[in-house]
Amino acid sequence: MDQELRSQIAVWLKDFGVESQASGWLSLSTSVLISLVIALVSYIVVRRVVVKAMNIVIQKSKVTWDDVFMRHKVLEKFALLIPVIVLNLLLPIALTTHPVIASLVDRLLSVSIVVLMISSIYVVLDAFNEIADVKLISRRLPIKSFVQLFKLFLFIVGIILVVSVIAEQSPLYFLSGLGVLTGLIMLVFRDTILGFVAGIQLAANRMVSPGDWIEMPKYGADGVVEEVSLTTVKVRNWDNTITMIPAYALVSDAFKNWRGMSESGGRRIKRSVSLDVQSVRFLKPDDLQRLKRFKLLQGYLEEKAAELELVNAQFTEEDLTLNGRWFTNIGTFRAYLVAYLKQHEQIHQNMTLLVRQLAPTSQGVGIEIYIFSKDTRWVQYEDIQADIFDHIFAILPEFDLRMYQQPSGADMRQWLEKS
């Protein structure tokens, strides 16, 4: 729409009896109205035809990531740009006879284009962040931190572009003045800058990702990482409380990450039982006969008996009692536990499997179990651990062993009654 079109509109209006001064304003209004109608029609065509057709294609496609874009209404956001761009092209031409108004309208529409473009890109970034969460990419990289950083960058760029449009100056003019504001930016965005640097270190070293179980007693954190943002790490503790940890704190302070345990497929069980030292003794022949009933012990008893017979053959009957080697109930109990754990379906056989005797203390002599369960989930892990030690507590009397337990008030009363 140019000067010739407006002149032609004025001629048409004059033919209908409209005065020349009035026809000028009417031709101007008609030009503006036509521009608005064209912009509205272009928006309706894009929104009702193009966007609707593309959404139908997205719904019928087999991939799932494009559904995220449709749910975030990305196409609808970009469709808003079409009428504004059309108006930005037509209105300044329609208002050439009024340069001041044309300049103001042009600036206003240019600012609107910048704002709509940045908001549309924001929606695209949010969609990418959701896709990363669905595809579990965010467990390897802090995608949300990068998204937030890019949004911050776009925000600063948007402000510079808006100011440059309003002031009719080149954006480079304002960029050259940012060096003066560096100190202020460092002060205002201190946590953001520290968080971004920490986020890069966390990502490069794979120190923490969403889904990791971490412990950080300094901040009261013991649970699963739900979110790694630009400045904070969100942890949902096992009691369902939320702990927010500064991202840079994970780099500067110590914390424990249980991801290695989860990825290895085995979770450690390290627990001991304390036995009463006074219950430890040599096994008698009838004890051995009784213990042969256990299938788990038959191989050990036969092999150990042959070894002891070979060793004791070098001693006379007089020296055998003092110098010979014999079965003990605690040693046979340890052999039973090893055999029991090796045939346990829930114990990881390719990882460390150890039953060891601890140094005796005033609390008795400890037998420690050091194994790894196949199931790393907390509830299942606790069930496996409890089942194993339930069996240990129940089987101790078969070896004539007693658990050590400090005397209670009831024990003291029984002793007093007996005395």
Side-chain angles (χ1 to χ4, degrees):
M1 187 179 301
D2 53 12
Q3 184 67 28
E4 294 180 0
L5 180 57
R6 286 199 306 276
S7 300
Q8 184 62 44
I9 294 173
V11 172
W12 291 341
L13 293 172
K14 187 176 181 180
D15 293 339
F16 283 100
V18 181
E19 297 180 359
S20 60
Q21 183 177 3
S23 65
W25 283 103
L26 285 174
S27 63
L28 177 63
S29 302
T30 304
S31 301
V32 172
L33 181 60
I34 292 174
S35 300
L36 293 174
V37 170
I38 293 174
L40 179 61
V41 170
S42 64
Y43 174 71
I44 293 174
V45 171
V46 172
R47 179 67 185 270
R48 298 294 179 86
V49 179
V50 179
V51 173
K52 189 174 181 179
M54 294 184 69
N55 283 336
I56 292 174
V57 173
I58 290 173
Q59 289 175 351
K60 293 183 178 180
S61 65
K62 295 182 179 180
V63 295
T64 57
W65 59 266
D66 53 2
D67 296 331
V68 178
F69 283 91
M70 188 176 70
R71 188 162 57 251
H72 283 266
K73 299 184 182 298
V74 174
L75 296 176
E76 287 80 356
K77 283 285 186 180
F78 279 101
L80 292 173
L81 283 167
I82 301 301
V84 181
I85 293 174
V86 171
L87 289 175
N88 193 44
L89 293 173
L90 298 181
L91 283 181
I93 299 176
L95 297 170
T96 50
T97 57
H98 298 79
V100 176
I101 298 176
S103 176
L104 291 175
V105 171
D106 181 61
R107 294 182 192 181
L108 178 61
L109 292 174
S110 298
V111 169
S112 300
I113 291 175
V114 172
V115 172
L116 288 174
M117 180 62 72
I118 291 178
S119 64
S120 300
I121 297 176
Y122 274 18
V123 176
V124 173
L125 292 174
D126 291 336
F128 272 120
N129 185 46
E130 184 175 335
I131 292 172
D133 289 338
V134 173
K135 299 293 184 181
L136 301 181
I137 299 175
S138 58
R139 291 198 174 188
R140 301 189 299 271
L141 295 171
I143 300 297
K144 187 167 185 178
S145 297
F146 296 138
V147 167
Q148 290 178 329
L149 179 68
F150 196 50
K151 283 184 176 181
L152 178 61
F153 173 75
L154 287 176
F155 179 75
I156 296 174
V157 170
I159 290 178
I160 294 174
L161 290 176
V162 169
V163 174
S164 66
V165 168
I166 295 175
E168 291 187 333
Q169 294 285 345
S170 172
L172 297 177
Y173 175 80
F174 296 97
L175 287 174
S176 62
L178 286 179
V180 181
L181 300 177
T182 302
L184 179 61
I185 293 174
M186 290 290 292
L187 179 63
V188 174
F189 298 106
R190 173 182 174 273
D191 290 342
T192 302
I193 295 172
L194 289 175
F196 171 63
V197 175
I200 294 177
Q201 291 180 288
L202 293 175
N205 300 318
R206 288 201 65 195
M207 297 171 64
V208 65
S209 302
D212 290 354
W213 170 16
I214 67 171
E215 287 185 40
M216 203 170 188
K218 180 178 179 179
Y219 292 89
D222 182 12
V224 178
V225 176
E226 286 197 341
E227 185 179 284
V228 181
S229 64
L230 190 60
T231 57
T232 58
V233 175
K234 180 180 178 181
V235 179
R236 179 175 291 276
N237 300 314
W238 299 121
D239 58 359
N240 283 330
T241 58
I242 301 295
T243 301
M244 306 299 290
I245 307 174
Y248 54 83
L250 294 171
V251 177
S252 59
D253 296 333
F255 70 96
K256 181 186 289 186
N257 192 333
W258 291 81
R259 186 202 308 136
M261 176 270 295
S262 301
E263 293 178 348
S264 68
R267 186 169 179 178
R268 188 186 70 174
I269 296 176
K270 182 184 178 183
R271 184 181 288 184
S272 62
V273 293
S274 296
L275 304 179
D276 191 344
V277 178
Q278 295 183 0
S279 65
V280 177
R281 63 177 179 83
F282 290 116
L283 292 178
K284 299 177 181 179
D286 56 338
D287 295 324
L288 294 174
Q289 290 297 324
R290 178 172 51 82
L291 292 175
K292 285 181 179 179
R293 297 181 294 112
F294 295 94
K295 292 184 178 180
L296 295 177
L297 279 175
Q298 290 175 358
Y300 166 79
L301 292 175
E302 292 175 1
E303 181 180 348
K304 197 68 175 179
E307 177 186 342
L308 295 180
E309 184 178 355
L310 183 62
V311 172
N312 293 336
Q314 60 183 322
F315 299 109
T316 61
E317 291 186 3
E318 296 178 355
D319 298 331
L320 188 60
T321 304
L322 296 177
N323 301 316
R325 291 177 55 190
W326 311 97
F327 283 99
T328 62
N329 58 351
I330 191 171
T332 306
F333 174 65
R334 284 192 297 107
Y336 172 81
L337 288 183
V338 171
Y340 171 74
L341 295 172
K342 284 185 175 181
Q343 57 85 41
H344 201 291
E345 295 180 353
Q346 297 297 328
I347 301 303
H348 214 302
Q349 302 299 326
N350 296 327
M351 295 185 175
T352 303
L353 193 155
L354 179 65
V355 179
R356 62 172 183 162
Q357 184 180 127
L358 303 178
T361 65
S362 59
Q363 307 297 320
V365 58
I367 300 295
E368 184 180 76
I369 308 297
Y370 195 103
I371 53 178
F372 289 83
S373 67
K374 289 182 178 180
D375 202 328
T376 60
R377 293 172 296 177
W378 190 11
V379 175
Q380 288 75 7
Y381 162 79
E382 292 292 347
D383 287 341
I384 294 170
Q385 184 172 231
D387 288 342
I388 290 173
F389 279 87
D390 288 347
H391 181 78
I392 291 175
F393 297 148
I395 204 70
L396 278 174
E398 296 290 340
F399 296 88
D400 202 17
L401 289 168
R402 295 190 303 272
M403 285 283 298
Y404 177 84
Q405 180 174 309
Q406 291 184 344
S408 64
D411 296 327
M412 298 298 293
R413 284 196 301 271
Q414 290 180 1
W415 292 340
L416 291 175
E417 291 174 358
K418 291 180 180 180
S419 60

